[in-house]
Amino acid sequence: MSLASVSAITASACSPSSGGSTGSAGDGRGTVEFWSMPYWIGQDDKVKELVDDFNASQSEVKVNLTQLEWKDGREKIKQAIAAGKGPDVWLMNNGLELDYLKARSLAPLDKLGYTAADTARFSDLVEVNEYENKLYGAPLYFDAGVMLYRTDVLEKYGHEKPPATWEELKRTASAITEKSAADGGKISGWQFKGMDDHVNAINSTWESFLCQAGGSLTSPDHKKSTQHTEAGKTTMNHMRSFHRDKTSPVGTSALNGFIDGKVAMFSFFQSVIANVEAGGDKTEGKWAVATS
């Protein structure tokens, strides 16, 4: 399971009783089934290369890589584990479903060779993967939320700098949406969609807005949701207003629209910067990043 320590945000391993697929590779090596959600922003080929390099580096273990998609990857993992046919190790977002933990489907990290020193420096960040004083997920990296904005679009509509408050964000985004529509350009001032047509960017945006409103996701012991509070309601009403007022019309994904100049601003993890830079002439010198 040595790959788990370097290849997962949450490296969860199926316990032996759950039907994990470690076994013979046909060449005298044991196998590790590794399923990965597409967090490798624009570098799927690189992930395969890393796995191939690992497999070539020794003769005891062979890793079989399965690369999943956003549209159904999480559900595939969930269904496979429920059927006792889950992967040995998988990569997904931080936080594990309680059903996995209660069913004893996962192996705790200390059974996989992790020491307290290995996880101590991440203790505050991985507590969400703890159950009955055992950790079941190891971190690979942590993203920071950022706001990306098209400097050329903002300047065209009279804004020299990005908005710094909720009110400025809404006012700026609404003005761009309305004025561009009048010009025939139809630019979305703000978009909640993320990497594709799945509305995944709203997850990280919600967390940022909730914290800005003075709220939190859970109680200090992580056992109760604290989202149904005044801060949570304030956040939800503010975000809903972007759709209610047609500031963020349904349309292209934030990333693709941003690259094409059809989305002025959106919030996502900083790793998406690599995709924006890959836009070449469409984005070079035409965008910037602000704290989210």
Side-chain angles (χ1 to χ4, degrees), residues 83-105:
K85 299 179 181 179
D88 299 305
V89 182
W90 75 89
L91 168 74
M92 64 188 303
N93 53 299
N94 204 30
L96 296 168
E97 295 207 20
L98 190 59
D99 288 347
Y100 302 161
L101 303 173
K102 286 185 174 180
R104 309 294 179 185
S105 299

Side-chain angles (χ1 to χ4, degrees), residues 268-289:
F268 207 63
F269 300 122
Q270 97 275 358
S271 48
V272 77
I273 289 173
N275 295 75
V276 176
E277 290 176 335
D281 293 340
K282 289 184 176 181
T283 56
E284 187 174 358
K286 302 174 183 177
W287 65 285
V289 174

Side-chain angles (χ1 to χ4, degrees), residues 3 9 30-31 61 69 71 174:
L3 186 70
I9 296 175
T31 61
V61 178
E69 298 181 12
K71 62 181 180 180
S174 296

Side-chain angles (χ1 to χ4, degrees), residues 77-247:
I77 292 174
K78 186 175 180 179
Q79 291 177 357
I81 293 176
K85 299 179 181 179
D88 299 305
V89 182
W90 75 89
L91 168 74
M92 64 188 303
N93 53 299
N94 204 30
L96 296 168
E97 295 207 20
L98 190 59
D99 288 347
Y100 302 161
L101 303 173
K102 286 185 174 180
R104 309 294 179 185
S105 299
L106 310 183
L109 295 188
D110 60 357
K111 297 296 185 182
L112 301 176
Y114 286 85
T115 66
D118 291 332
T119 56
R121 56 183 170 165
F122 301 111
S123 59
D124 291 341
L125 299 170
V126 298
E127 283 181 355
V128 69
N129 299 315
E130 183 177 299
Y131 181 68
E132 296 183 346
N133 299 316
K134 294 284 187 179
L135 275 175
Y136 292 84
L140 170 62
Y141 68 87
F142 290 89
D143 260 331
V146 297
M147 186 180 79
L148 298 95
Y149 63 99
R150 293 281 307 214
T151 53
D152 56 342
V153 174
L154 264 65
E155 289 172 1
K156 178 179 179 179
Y157 292 99
H159 302 280
E160 297 181 358
K161 57 183 180 180
T165 66
W166 285 14
E167 292 73 20
E168 286 184 15
L169 174 63
K170 182 66 180 300
R171 187 165 58 248
T172 301
S174 296
I176 291 174
T177 299
E178 294 171 5
K179 292 179 180 178
S180 65
D183 294 341
K186 294 185 178 180
I187 298 173
S188 177
W190 176 267
Q191 182 59 270
F192 285 110
K193 287 189 177 182
M195 299 299 296
D196 47 36
D197 282 337
H198 182 70
V199 191
N200 50 7
I202 201 170
N203 300 329
S204 56
T205 307
W206 157 257
E207 294 172 0
S208 295
F209 279 16
L210 180 63
C211 291
Q212 290 166 11
S216 62
L217 293 174
T218 68
S219 58
D221 61 5
H222 306 295
K223 293 182 178 180
K224 294 182 179 180
S225 170
T226 55
Q227 298 175 46
H228 189 58
T229 59
E230 284 305 312
K233 295 175 185 177
T234 297
T235 301
M236 184 58 71
N237 286 332
H238 177 67
M239 294 178 69
R240 184 171 59 183
S241 73
F242 282 80
H243 292 286
R244 182 192 64 217
D245 302 341
K246 303 188 185 309
T247 297

